[in-house]
Coordinates of all heavy atoms in Angstrom, one line a residue:
H141 N 2.9 -1.1 -1.3 CA 1.6 -0.7 -1.1 C 0.7 -1.7 -1.7 O -0.3 -2.1 -1.1 CB 1.3 0.7 -1.8 CG 2.0 1.9 -1.3 ND1 2.2 2.1 0.1 CD2 2.6 2.9 -1.9 CE1 2.8 3.2 0.3 NE2 3.0 3.8 -0.9
D144 N 0.0 -5.1 0.4 CA -1.0 -5.0 1.4 C -2.3 -5.4 0.9 O -3.1 -6.2 1.5 CB -1.0 -3.7 2.0 CG 0.1 -3.4 3.0 OD1 0.9 -4.2 3.2 OD2 -0.1 -2.4 3.7
V145 N -2.7 -4.8 -0.3 CA -3.9 -5.1 -0.9 C -4.1 -6.5 -1.3 O -5.1 -7.2 -1.2 CB -4.2 -4.1 -2.0 CG1 -5.5 -4.3 -2.8 CG2 -4.2 -2.6 -1.5
N371 N -8.0 6.3 -6.4 CA -8.1 6.5 -5.0 C -7.0 6.0 -4.2 O -6.6 6.6 -3.2 CB -9.5 6.0 -4.4 CG -9.9 6.4 -3.1 OD1 -10.1 7.6 -2.8 ND2 -9.8 5.4 -2.2
R372 N -6.6 4.8 -4.5 CA -5.3 4.3 -3.8 C -4.2 5.2 -4.0 O -3.3 5.4 -3.1 CB -5.1 2.9 -4.3 CG -6.2 1.9 -3.9 CD -5.7 0.4 -4.1 NE -6.8 -0.6 -4.0 CZ -7.4 -0.9 -2.9 NH1 -7.1 -0.4 -1.8 NH2 -8.4 -1.9 -3.0
Q375 N -4.5 8.1 -1.8 CA -4.4 7.8 -0.4 C -2.9 7.8 0.0 O -2.5 8.3 1.0 CB -4.9 6.4 -0.3 CG -4.6 5.9 1.2 CD -5.0 4.4 1.4 OE1 -5.9 3.9 0.7 NE2 -4.2 3.7 2.2
H376 N -2.1 7.2 -0.9 CA -0.6 7.1 -0.5 C 0.2 8.3 -0.7 O 1.2 8.5 -0.2 CB 0.0 5.9 -1.2 CG -0.6 4.6 -0.8 ND1 -0.6 4.1 0.5 CD2 -1.3 3.6 -1.5 CE1 -1.2 3.0 0.6 NE2 -1.6 2.6 -0.6
G379 N -2.1 10.4 2.5 CA -2.4 9.8 3.8 C -3.8 9.3 3.9 O -4.0 8.5 4.8
A380 N -4.7 9.9 3.2 CA -6.1 9.3 3.1 C -6.6 9.5 1.8 O -6.3 10.5 1.0 CB -6.9 10.2 4.2
G381 N -7.5 8.5 1.4 CA -8.1 8.6 0.0 C -9.3 9.6 -0.1 O -9.7 10.0 0.9
V383 N -11.9 8.6 -1.0 CA -12.8 7.6 -0.2 C -11.8 7.0 0.8 O -10.9 6.3 0.4 CB -13.4 6.6 -1.1 CG1 -14.3 5.6 -0.4 CG2 -14.2 7.1 -2.3
R384 N -12.1 7.4 2.1 CA -11.1 6.9 3.0 C -11.1 5.5 3.4 O -10.1 5.0 3.9 CB -11.4 7.8 4.4 CG -11.3 9.3 4.1 CD -10.9 10.1 5.4 NE -10.5 11.5 5.0 CZ -10.0 12.4 5.7 NH1 -9.7 12.0 6.9 NH2 -9.6 13.5 5.3
T385 N -12.2 4.8 3.2 CA -12.3 3.4 3.2 C -11.9 2.8 1.8 O -12.7 2.4 1.1 CB -13.6 2.9 3.6 OG1 -14.6 3.5 2.8 CG2 -13.9 3.3 5.2
S386 N -10.6 2.7 1.6 CA -10.1 2.5 0.2 C -10.4 1.0 -0.2 O -10.3 0.7 -1.4 CB -8.6 2.8 0.1 OG -7.9 2.0 0.9
N387 N -10.7 0.1 0.6 CA -11.0 -1.2 0.3 C -12.6 -1.5 0.3 O -13.0 -2.6 0.2 CB -10.5 -2.2 1.3 CG -9.3 -3.0 0.7 OD1 -8.7 -2.5 -0.3 ND2 -8.9 -4.1 1.2
N388 N -13.4 -0.4 0.6 CA -14.9 -0.6 0.8 C -15.5 0.7 0.2 O -15.7 1.7 0.9 CB -15.3 -0.7 2.2 CG -16.7 -1.2 2.4 OD1 -17.5 -1.2 1.4 ND2 -17.2 -1.5 3.5
D394 N -17.0 5.0 3.6 CA -17.2 6.3 3.5 C -17.6 6.8 2.1 O -17.2 6.1 1.1 CB -15.8 7.0 3.9 CG -15.5 7.0 5.3 OD1 -16.3 6.4 6.1 OD2 -14.4 7.5 5.7
Q458 N 6.2 4.5 6.7 CA 5.7 3.2 7.0 C 6.9 2.4 7.6 O 8.1 2.8 7.4 CB 5.3 2.4 5.8 CG 4.0 3.0 5.2 CD 3.7 2.2 4.0 OE1 4.4 2.1 3.0 NE2 2.4 1.7 3.9
D531 N 3.1 -1.3 12.8 CA 1.7 -1.5 12.1 C 1.8 -2.2 10.7 O 0.7 -2.1 10.0 CB 1.0 -0.1 12.0 CG 0.8 0.6 13.3 OD1 0.6 -0.1 14.2 OD2 1.0 1.8 13.3
V532 N 2.7 -3.1 10.4 CA 2.7 -3.9 9.2 C 1.6 -4.9 9.5 O 1.6 -5.6 10.6 CB 4.0 -4.5 8.9 CG1 3.8 -5.4 7.8 CG2 5.0 -3.4 8.6
P533 N 0.6 -5.0 8.5 CA -0.5 -6.0 8.8 C 0.0 -7.4 8.6 O 1.1 -7.8 8.1 CB -1.5 -5.8 7.7 CG -0.7 -5.1 6.6 CD 0.4 -4.2 7.3
T537 N -5.8 -11.0 5.3 CA -6.8 -10.5 4.4 C -6.3 -9.3 3.7 O -5.3 -8.6 4.1 CB -8.1 -10.1 5.2 OG1 -7.7 -9.1 6.2 CG2 -8.6 -11.3 5.9
S538 N -6.9 -8.9 2.6 CA -6.6 -7.7 1.9 C -6.7 -6.5 2.8 O -7.7 -6.3 3.6 CB -7.5 -7.5 0.7 OG -7.2 -6.4 -0.1
R539 N -5.7 -5.7 2.9 CA -5.7 -4.5 3.6 C -5.5 -3.2 2.8 O -4.4 -3.0 2.2 CB -4.7 -4.6 4.8 CG -4.6 -3.5 5.7 CD -5.8 -3.6 6.6 NE -5.7 -4.8 7.5 CZ -5.1 -4.9 8.6 NH1 -4.7 -3.8 9.2 NH2 -5.1 -6.0 9.4
G540 N -6.5 -2.4 2.8 CA -6.3 -1.2 2.0 C -5.8 -0.1 2.7 O -5.1 0.8 2.2
V541 N -6.1 0.0 4.1 CA -5.5 1.1 4.9 C -5.0 0.4 6.2 O -5.6 -0.4 6.9 CB -6.7 2.0 5.4 CG1 -6.1 3.1 6.4 CG2 -7.4 2.6 4.2
R542 N -3.7 0.8 6.4 CA -3.0 0.2 7.6 C -3.5 1.0 8.9 O -3.8 2.2 8.8 CB -1.4 0.4 7.5 CG -0.8 -0.6 6.5 CD 0.6 -0.5 6.6 NE 1.4 -1.4 5.8 CZ 2.6 -1.6 5.7 NH1 3.4 -1.0 6.4 NH2 3.1 -2.5 4.8
E543 N -3.4 0.2 10.0 CA -3.7 0.9 11.3 C -2.6 2.0 11.4 O -1.4 1.8 11.0 CB -3.6 -0.1 12.4 CG -4.7 -1.2 12.4 CD -4.6 -2.1 13.7 OE1 -3.9 -1.7 14.6 OE2 -5.2 -3.1 13.6
K544 N -2.9 3.0 12.1 CA -1.9 4.1 12.4 C -1.9 4.4 13.9 O -2.5 5.3 14.5 CB -2.3 5.4 11.6 CG -2.3 5.3 10.2 CD -2.7 6.5 9.5 CE -2.7 6.4 8.0 NZ -3.2 7.6 7.2

Side-chain angles (χ1 to χ4, degrees):
H141 292 318
D144 278 7
V145 176
N371 186 66
R372 295 195 193 281
Q375 171 191 330
H376 293 302
V383 180
R384 298 199 168 198
T385 52
S386 58
N387 257 24
N388 189 355
D394 286 359
Q458 287 183 307
D531 305 323
V532 172
T537 58
S538 174
R539 186 70 64 91
V541 180
R542 288 188 177 187
E543 293 182 16
K544 295 179 181 177

